[in-house]
């Protein structure tokens, strides 16, 4: 583990710029052969920027407008307390995070890492599971961990190799692990799903655990991923017998078709991510060209209540987060697929951003009503991939506050209590990886769990603490388990 020693060197608009030595671990970006083209969560590697853009980056660093290579910046209410470098046994891209008790389970395109976070100021790696298959989205429930596989493989084993999705025998879907012994997770089952699993959402239902599998981009040449692919796979996992997990159904969400696509927005051919709120029997789906609200009162048969589009501003509906009372939904737009520099002046503040919607009406007449956009206000260099990505609520009493990852834009804490006037209240970020090449890096997921913020950055696991009167009440909230895409009722 690398500790964080910071030295204030100059002031920024929102806080301090700190020189940090040894923080940026070697960046490894895995690009497993995907079964489907992936306009979301993409990566770039070694794309050289123009001479004028290089000059702008260097000038911004020299003027203190952005942190330099090897430096971090953070607002005064954010304290970086620990950093664990990228796990050497899993060279792939770091992805999602799930939590249970004293452990954090961090996904990776090559498997997952288990961290002991009992002492947040000194987390340590407990185990690493090498089981390639991108994108390594993780979720935990009891003794079970579900791992998403969105890379067409030769078989369902951890020893599989990439194999074209045009071959009928190829496999992709979800893998199920027994984590009763976190030091030695055991692979117990796998379920193949149409177009694989880009992400998955857990919906508990008594003795069964339902898994909503989001995937997209079918092709007539893929035997197991045929058009129109206008819905989600639902997998039933018996808690007491996970080896009997099976595909329960494929639920059509867009019987009349979703957004058809245009020059700036993706056509809807499935969903990217779904967030369930089981206590309210609701789920919100980010489905490429559409945002949807669903009734999940029967977890095995979810159905759409309302469907919205934003062809003018949203390019790729990526993820969703409910407010604590379920009266709002924040949708994110992953403009550029996560690989582009979308936090620069040219892109503006309403693209590659978050859209805030209110949930109005009752029952099946509920609707999503747009209120405003949020984009982190700190401009980034043209060598930094930056766009809205994965985040969670900070359960502060009487306020709607999120923490959110923005790739190389870092971690943003923002308040959307006033839906039409959201604003950033804290941040943490690293400087660009380079001054002359657009490279993939930064925070994929940033979540609040039991008093601390955990960020799965490509440099490794960051642990942050926020000290702010607006969020102090959240410190009293303690959870035994957290999957951000299965939103708990903090009330």
């Amino acid at each position: 583990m690398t500790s964080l020693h910071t030295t204030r060197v100059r002031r920024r608009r929102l806080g301090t710029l700190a020189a940090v030595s040894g923080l940026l671990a070697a960046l490894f970006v895995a690009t497993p052969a995907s079964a489907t083209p992936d306009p979301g969560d993409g990566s770039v590697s070694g794309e050289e920027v123009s001479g004028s853009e290089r000059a702008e980056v260097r000038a911004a660093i020299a003027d203190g407008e952005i942190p330099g290579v090897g430096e971090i910046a953070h607002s005064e209410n954010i304290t970086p307390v620990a950093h664990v470098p990228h796990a050497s046994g899993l060279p792939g891209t770091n992805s999602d995070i799930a939590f249970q008790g004293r452990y954090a389970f961090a996904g990776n395109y090559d498997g997952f890492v288990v961290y002991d976070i009992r002492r947040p100021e000194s987390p340590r790696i407990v185990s690493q599971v090498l089981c390639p298959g991108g994108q390594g989205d993780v979720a935990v429930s009891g003794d079970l961990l579900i791992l998403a596989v969105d890379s067409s493989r030769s078989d369902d084993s951890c020893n599989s190799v990439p194999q074209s999705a045009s071959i009928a025998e190829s496999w992709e879907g979800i893998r199920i692990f027994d984590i009763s012994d976190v030091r030695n997770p055991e692979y117990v089952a796998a379920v193949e799903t149409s177009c694989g699993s880009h992400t998955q959402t857990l919906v508990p239902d008594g003795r069964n655990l339902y898994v909503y599998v989001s995937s997209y981009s079918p092709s007539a040449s893929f035997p197991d991923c045929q058009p129109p692919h206008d819905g989600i796979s639902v997998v039933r996992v018996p808690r007491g017998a996970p080896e009997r997990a099976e595909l329960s159904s494929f639920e059509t969400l867009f019987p009349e078709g979703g957004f058809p696509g245009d020059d700036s927005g993706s056509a809807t051919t499935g969903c990217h991510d779904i967030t369930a709120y089981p206590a309210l029997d609701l789920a919100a789906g980010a489905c490429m060209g559409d945002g949807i609200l669903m009734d999940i009162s029967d977890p095995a048969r979810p159905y759409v209540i309302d469907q919205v589009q934003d062809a003018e501003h949203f390019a790729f509906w990526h993820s969703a987060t409910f407010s604590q009372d379920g009266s709002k939904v924040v949708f994110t737009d992953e403009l550029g697929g996560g690989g582009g520099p979308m936090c620069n002046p040219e892109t503006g503040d309403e693209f590659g951003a978050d859209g805030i919607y209110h949930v109005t009406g009752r029952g099946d007449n509920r609707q999503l009503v747009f209120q405003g956009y949020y984009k982190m206000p700190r401009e980034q260099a043209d060598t930094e991939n930056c766009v809205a990505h994965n985040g969670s609520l900070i359960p502060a009493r009487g306020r709607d506050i999120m923490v959110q990852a923005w790739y190389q834009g870092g971690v943003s804490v923002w308040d959307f209590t006033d839906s039409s006037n959201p604003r950033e209240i804290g941040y943490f970020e690293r400087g660009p990886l380079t001054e002359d090449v657009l490279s993939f890096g930064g925070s994929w997921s940033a979540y609040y769990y039991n008093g601390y913020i955990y960020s799965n950055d490509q440099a490794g696991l960051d642990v942050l603490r926020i000290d702010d009167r607006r969020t102090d009440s959240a410190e009293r909230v303690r959870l035994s388990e957290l999957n951000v895409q299965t939103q708990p009722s903090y009330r």
Side-chain angles (χ1 to χ4, degrees), residues 312-340:
E312 183 178 356
H313 292 97
F314 264 45
F316 190 88
W317 295 67
H318 177 275
S319 53
T321 303
F322 284 97
S323 60
Q324 292 186 60
D325 63 1
S327 66
K328 303 177 184 179
V329 180
V330 175
F331 289 102
T332 69
D333 172 25
E334 197 184 33
L335 174 68

Side-chain angles (χ1 to χ4, degrees), residues 165-200:
S166 62
I167 300 173
E169 291 75 21
S170 295
W171 181 92
E172 56 183 328
I174 63 170
R175 294 174 174 144
I176 302 171
F177 290 81
D178 183 325
I179 54 171
S180 54
D181 180 358
V182 294
R183 289 168 178 77
N184 295 286
E186 180 184 356
Y187 183 15
V188 296
V191 178
E192 185 172 15
T193 57
S194 177
C195 301
S197 175
H198 198 71
T199 65
Q200 79 270 301

Side-chain angles (χ1 to χ4, degrees), residues 236-258:
R236 183 179 68 88
V237 182
R239 291 183 182 274
E243 69 277 3
R244 292 167 47 199
E246 62 181 357
L247 182 66
S248 173
S249 65
F250 183 88
E251 296 299 311
T252 298
L253 303 179
F254 306 98
E256 298 179 0

Side-chain angles (χ1 to χ4, degrees), residues 23-24 67 71-72 83 384 408 428-432 457 459 462:
L23 271 180
L24 293 178
E71 296 179 337
I72 63 171
H83 174 77
E384 295 179 281
Q408 284 195 71
F428 169 90
E429 68 168 297
R430 286 182 168 82
D457 192 286
D462 288 311

Side-chain angles (χ1 to χ4, degrees), residues 77-78 324 394-399 401 413 415 425 448 450-452 465-478:
N77 58 355
I78 298 286
Q324 292 186 60
I394 296 180
R397 178 173 296 181
R399 289 183 178 271
I401 297 177
V413 178
D415 188 324
I425 62 173
Y448 182 91
N450 292 351
Y452 291 84
R465 188 181 72 244
I466 181 167
D467 296 292
D468 192 292
R469 61 178 177 76
R470 292 162 290 193
T471 62
D472 286 347
S473 60
E475 295 182 11
R476 295 192 290 272
V477 176
R478 287 293 182 268

Side-chain angles (χ1 to χ4, degrees), residues 105-120:
F105 301 83
N108 179 282
Y109 273 45
D110 287 333
F112 62 93
V113 182
V114 182
Y115 294 94
D116 185 330
I117 57 171
R118 177 179 54 176
R119 293 186 296 170

Side-chain angles (χ1 to χ4, degrees), residues 9 13 89 180 273 335 370 431 438:
V9 294
R13 179 175 54 187
S180 54
D273 214 331
L335 174 68
F370 175 75
L438 172 59

